[in-house]
Amino acid sequence: MNKIMEMLKKDIQYIKGVGPKRLSLLKRLKISNIEDMLYHFPRDYENRSISKKIIEVQPGDQTTIYGIVVGTCQSIYVRKGLNINRYLLKDATGSITITFFNQPYMKNKFKPNDHLMLYGKVKKSFQGLEMINPIYEIMEANKVTMQEGIVPVYPTTEGLTQRQIIDIQKNIIEVVEEIVDYLPEDIVKKNKLCSLQFALKYIHFPTSLQQIKVAKYRLVFEELLLLQLALIKIKKKTIKQQKSIPLRNNEGIDVFLKRLPFALTMAQKAVLKEILEDLGKEVPMNRLVQGDVGSGKTIVAIIALYKAVINGCQGALMAPTEILAEQHYHSLKQLLEPLGIRIGLLIGSLTKAKKQQLSQEIQEGKIDIIIGTHALIQQTVNFYRLALVITDEQHRFGVRQRAILAEKGDNPHILVMTATPIPRTLALILYGDLDISIIDELPPGRKEIKTRSLTSEEKERVYHIAKKELRLGRQAYVVCPLVEESEAIEAKAATEIKEELAATYFSDYEVGLLHGKMHPKEKETVMKLFLENKIHILVSTTVIEVGVNVPNATMMIIENAERFGLAQLHQLRGRVGRGDFQSYCLLIHNNKSKIAKERMKIMEETTDGFIISEKDLEIRGPGEFFGIRQHGLPDLRIANLFKHMKVLKKVQSQVEELLKEDPYLTLEKHPLLKEKLEEKFKGFEGT
């Protein structure tokens, strides 16, 4: 086994067809050794086994054709960034135009009378039949060199062609004959799985569609099996850990509940009961509370923190942003300081001296509840008697960050909160190490937010509607378009929109600005002014997505709404509708595609976050919907948590059965599985 592992870990640059230059391109795809290459799976396949004569092809066909180049290249320079190279190809039955857009190197690529094999989609244009940017190969002496049949299509990067990836895969594929299957024979047979050797060979070089299906099923199954095993091992390890501090004193909780200006919903009461029971045990609580925007998770968390304090312990709440941390701080001060409970706020923007003072007070037990951002997990912060750790908006943190905070106490109880409703089966994967509670009921009297989507041509109408609300003394948010991975560009766009609105539509009102590049103190000032209604319209980037509670804000306007995921649109919409007034969400969009229209329609038709999350997952897939990497989980290479939900259910049942028989994978048939699990999840929390 060690010899095989050694072979699989061999540096890919020493494989024929790679070398140092290509290695740097492969590393962009996270490929550095033979195993990485074998597990770099095709994203699709092209069936080139069917070829047609030119007279037989129809517009819309995806097919292979053979022909001879007639004449020389027709090269056209249209403008900067657009050039066209055209060739005429003929066979014994007819001719077709081959067009290459924005590929200047294709000029004079082919010579008259070259024999070509081409694969691509045929369309009808003013040229007649045309194939645009096809995959091509020049045939030497009538010999076909391009791969025929079913051809894999791989995820790639600029500078690395499909053909080069295929050639590298061909040069290493024989390795699979040496690989030992680490799944026990009984699991393979019971679940009708093919061998690992078969799966790895035919996922890359299938000769039939059935082989792809069989190979993919095996690889999806094993990937989900390893993931589930790793997550359950974390949970079991957590349970096996030294005992937590049992928080058994409930004295004063009923009085506290009676003092609240509102009654808890039935859903809140049910979740609170689960949490209070968990806190009373010596086994550390590990619970996820998920609930829609406005369902009242925060008050449940506050009661849990209160219980920690009345039991002579400390509680900590970690939030993803300073704005949200400050909001929690003010909420807790208002409710708990009158009871003599000392609250502290530890955030990055504090002065060094203030941080040192706070850290000392935390360590000496002079602060009962500490609210903070990532500053809480710094090495300099030590607790006196930490018994409860709460993380809010868990999707903004990784499991490791949660673990670091937990390590600061003596196996503290852990509560995780998220306002991103997640389909339960997916939640079991993402939070496999946690018990799950759901608050699926909104407090009574909350008015449903009226949502409408409008095109950018109707923008004036949007602002006219907003003005009506402003005249009533209400406030509005304007959220700027999402710009992927560029906070600086987002900040610039927000600034421009703010200046435009202040100078035109809303010149009679105070327009504020909030974006991620601002200093935390500036953000705090802006939010304070907005809360006090001294700013009437707040132009913001998505930093507003979490952590703002302004009951007087009744209008949410989202620019270029088509750029946002449904779950994110729903989160943004949840910033309004927090007071007694009717609230509105207006989605301005440019995209007229069918998917964009469908997404806008979903937002108009429902405000149920769980329905929206299901749709978002279906449309965009889990990778985008919920950044799995942020959880500290390894990337899924072939499994898709939405498409493979049925497989996932089988896997969960199999894992349960497996661990019931052999909880620590010590039986004679499980050492390879255990070794694979440890190798794959090395460094992953708890394994």
Side-chain angles (χ1 to χ4, degrees):
M1 182 71 178
N2 288 339
K3 190 181 174 186
I4 296 160
M5 288 301 297
E6 212 174 285
M7 180 174 59
L8 289 173
K9 297 301 175 191
K10 184 179 176 182
D11 196 319
I12 196 74
Q13 76 168 308
Y14 301 116
I15 299 300
K16 185 183 173 187
V18 184
K21 186 182 174 185
R22 214 159 273 167
L23 175 68
S24 66
L25 297 174
L26 288 169
K27 280 190 172 174
R28 284 191 211 160
L29 300 170
K30 298 185 180 174
I31 298 170
S32 12
N33 57 42
I34 289 177
E35 186 177 34
D36 293 338
M37 195 75 213
L38 279 176
Y39 280 81
H40 184 67
F41 299 125
R43 61 174 169 78
D44 205 353
Y45 296 88
E46 292 170 349
N47 191 353
R48 300 182 192 167
S49 56
I50 303 163
S51 67
K52 291 187 176 182
K53 293 188 173 7
I54 290 172
I55 199 169
E56 296 171 337
V57 299
Q58 298 291 325
D61 284 353
Q62 187 94 13
T63 189
T64 300
I65 58 171
Y66 298 86
I68 299 168
V69 176
V70 179
T72 56
C73 175
Q74 180 192 4
S75 189
I76 306 161
Y77 176 84
V78 181
R79 63 173 188 273
K80 190 179 179 182
L82 179 58
N83 62 74
I84 302 168
N85 288 300
R86 282 201 180 98
Y87 291 90
L88 189 64
L89 194 80
K90 72 169 187 179
D91 67 5
T93 67
S95 62
I96 187 169
T97 301
I98 311 302
T99 303
F100 296 91
F101 284 104
N102 291 332
Q103 297 182 36
Y105 53 87
M106 291 307 299
K107 186 180 180 182
N108 304 322
K109 179 78 177 177
F110 309 132
K111 301 187 298 292
N113 299 318
D114 273 353
H115 287 249
L116 301 185
M117 177 183 179
L118 298 145
Y119 176 82
K121 192 167 186 176
V122 177
K123 63 172 281 190
K124 179 91 174 163
S125 71
F126 64 88
Q127 307 287 333
L129 286 178
E130 186 175 26
M131 198 179 261
I132 294 171
N133 294 344
I135 295 166
Y136 63 87
E137 187 119 0
I138 301 169
M139 295 156 57
E140 293 176 20
N142 292 328
K143 180 185 173 187
V144 177
T145 56
M146 183 166 76
Q147 189 171 344
E148 293 189 75
I150 298 169
V151 181
V153 179
Y154 292 93
T156 189
T157 186
E158 193 177 350
L160 195 63
T161 67
Q162 289 293 331
R163 182 58 195 258
Q164 288 163 346
I165 296 176
I166 289 169
D167 286 345
I168 298 166
Q169 293 286 19
K170 277 182 179 174
N171 291 333
I172 64 166
I173 200 66
E174 286 180 12
V175 168
V176 302
E177 304 299 335
E178 307 288 325
I179 291 173
V180 177
D181 203 332
Y182 56 84
L183 283 189
E185 197 177 330
D186 57 340
I187 289 179
V188 171
K189 281 184 177 174
K190 183 185 174 186
N191 295 285
K192 298 178 181 173
L193 304 174
C194 67
S195 70
L196 182 56
Q197 294 93 325
F198 181 99
L200 287 172
K201 182 176 180 181
Y202 291 108
I203 198 74
H204 293 293
F205 299 108
T207 56
S208 71
L209 297 176
Q210 181 62 20
Q211 284 176 344
I212 298 170
K213 188 179 175 183
V214 170
K216 188 176 275 190
Y217 182 72
R218 155 68 201 236
L219 294 166
V220 166
F221 190 97
E222 74 168 51
E223 186 166 50
L224 293 175
L225 181 89
L226 289 170
L227 182 60
Q228 281 289 280
L229 274 172
L231 288 166
I232 288 171
K233 274 172 74 69
I234 292 170
K235 191 168 186 174
K236 287 189 180 296
K237 184 174 178 183
T238 304
I239 291 167
K240 273 201 318 170
Q241 281 174 342
Q242 298 169 3
K243 294 173 181 177
S244 282
I245 303 167
L247 309 176
R248 293 185 176 133
N249 177 17
N250 289 318
E251 202 176 314
I253 288 179
D254 286 340
V255 176
F256 177 78
L257 289 171
K258 282 173 186 169
R259 290 182 68 230
L260 291 174
F262 52 83
L264 296 187
T265 63
M266 293 305 292
Q268 283 173 314
K269 285 176 183 174
V271 170
L272 182 60
K273 184 171 181 282
E274 290 172 336
I275 292 167
L276 295 180
E277 281 175 6
D278 282 357
L279 291 174
K281 296 173 184 172
E282 292 182 341
V283 173
M285 172 176 74
N286 274 277
R287 185 167 292 280
L288 166 72
V289 174
Q290 62 164 326
D292 215 336
V293 174
S295 61
K297 297 177 299 301
T298 306
I299 190 62
V300 171
I302 289 171
I303 297 162
L305 289 165
Y306 177 59
K307 177 162 178 167
V309 177
I310 60 176
N311 279 270
C313 298
Q314 289 172 306
L317 194 161
M318 184 161 71
T321 64
E322 293 202 357
I323 292 176
L324 185 51
E326 286 160 14
Q327 182 180 316
H328 283 315
Y329 174 66
H330 293 304
S331 297
L332 267 77
K333 269 173 76 80
Q334 188 181 346
L335 289 169
L336 298 178
E337 270 196 351
L339 303 173
I341 293 171
R342 300 158 298 184
I343 320 277
L345 177 66
L346 185 59
I347 52 180
S349 58
L350 295 175
T351 63
K352 191 177 178 183
K354 184 63 178 166
K355 281 181 193 167
Q356 285 175 343
Q357 184 194 333
L358 266 171
S359 297
Q360 191 175 335
E361 288 175 355
I362 291 166
Q363 192 166 352
E364 292 171 358
K366 291 177 181 175
I367 293 178
D368 302 309
I369 296 172
I370 302 90
I371 318 293
T373 52
H374 289 74
L376 283 178
I377 59 175
Q378 289 172 356
Q379 285 184 341
T380 51
V381 182
N382 295 301
F383 291 81
Y384 174 69
R385 198 170 187 238
L386 181 64
L388 172 62
V389 167
I390 300 177
T391 54
D392 194 7
E393 292 302 334
Q394 167 63 15
H395 69 286
R396 304 285 176 125
F397 299 112
V399 283
R400 289 188 187 92
Q401 289 164 313
R402 191 172 82 224
I404 293 165
L405 184 53
E407 282 164 12
K408 290 186 175 288
D410 187 15
N411 302 310
H413 298 282
I414 291 172
L415 184 66
V416 171
M417 300 194 297
T418 180
T420 305
I422 318 156
R424 191 174 181 88
T425 314
L426 180 56
L428 288 169
I429 279 284
L430 295 172
Y431 299 112
D433 56 329
L434 302 169
D435 295 311
I436 297 172
S437 294
I438 298 173
I439 302 178
D440 54 2
E441 179 186 1
L442 291 178
R446 286 202 57 153
K447 293 184 173 72
E448 193 170 284
I449 300 160
K450 292 183 179 176
T451 305
R452 291 197 61 189
S453 67
L454 300 104
T455 63
S456 51
E457 288 82 27
E458 299 173 282
K459 198 176 278 192
E460 280 199 37
R461 190 173 158 209
V462 170
Y463 294 141
H464 179 69
I465 296 167
K467 268 188 175 178
K468 280 186 179 177
E469 285 299 295
L470 293 172
R471 286 190 202 110
L472 293 171
R474 312 287 172 253
Q475 291 163 272
Y477 296 100
V478 176
V479 176
C480 301
L482 184 71
V483 181
E484 287 295 328
E485 295 172 7
S486 181
E487 213 173 38
I489 296 172
E490 279 190 351
K492 186 173 182 288
T495 306
E496 287 170 1
I497 288 172
K498 183 254 180 186
E499 287 170 358
E500 182 194 341
L501 294 181
T504 54
Y505 299 103
F506 302 109
S507 54
D508 297 339
Y509 296 93
E510 193 63 42
V511 182
L513 176 67
L514 191 72
H515 59 72
K517 299 295 282 182
M518 290 166 68
H519 189 275
K521 284 287 179 193
E522 287 181 90
K523 289 182 197 171
E524 187 184 344
T525 303
V526 169
M527 283 315 306
K528 191 167 181 292
L529 290 170
F530 190 56
L531 190 60
E532 293 168 355
N533 202 1
K534 289 174 183 172
I535 287 175
H536 308 114
I537 298 162
L538 184 58
V539 176
S540 173
T541 58
T542 51
V543 295
I544 210 77
E545 186 184 350
V546 292
V548 186
N549 187 14
V550 182
N552 192 50
T554 57
M555 177 69 65
M556 171 60 72
I557 298 167
I558 303 172
E559 300 261 3
N560 291 98
E562 75 278 0
R563 294 191 194 175
F564 297 85
L566 288 177
Q568 196 171 25
L569 288 173
H570 181 62
Q571 287 281 75
L572 289 166
R573 174 167 62 184
R575 294 304 105 210
V576 294
R578 291 171 167 261
D580 301 326
F581 316 109
Q582 178 61 57
S583 291
Y584 307 87
C585 178
L586 302 178
L587 307 170
I588 304 172
H589 64 96
N590 291 315
N591 202 318
K592 295 180 174 67
S593 73
K594 188 180 175 185
I595 289 178
K597 286 176 183 172
E598 183 189 340
R599 291 168 72 245
M600 294 304 117
K601 192 179 175 192
I602 291 163
M603 289 300 296
E604 287 180 326
E605 287 178 351
T606 182
T607 53
D608 185 318
F610 286 91
I611 293 172
I612 286 167
S613 72
E614 289 276 10
K615 293 288 184 184
D616 205 22
L617 187 60
E618 190 177 336
I619 291 168
R620 298 195 301 156
E624 286 181 67
F625 162 77
F626 212 84
I628 289 170
R629 197 175 293 113
Q630 294 176 30
H631 292 263
L633 301 182
D635 292 336
L636 293 175
R637 295 175 187 249
I638 195 164
N640 177 305
L641 294 175
F642 181 75
K643 289 180 185 172
H644 301 129
M645 203 67 89
K646 285 182 182 173
V647 184
L648 173 57
K649 285 175 183 172
K650 282 186 185 177
V651 164
Q652 287 172 332
S653 171
Q654 178 63 72
V655 166
E656 198 177 313
E657 192 180 304
L658 170 67
L659 293 176
K660 191 175 180 182
E661 180 193 17
D662 185 11
Y664 306 112
L665 302 179
T666 52
L667 291 181
E668 197 177 327
K669 60 181 176 177
H670 291 149
L672 294 181
L673 175 59
K674 187 178 182 181
E675 195 177 322
K676 179 69 177 177
L677 185 67
E678 286 169 354
E679 182 254 327
K680 184 173 173 65
F681 292 90
K682 190 178 179 183
F684 181 48
E685 181 198 355
T687 57

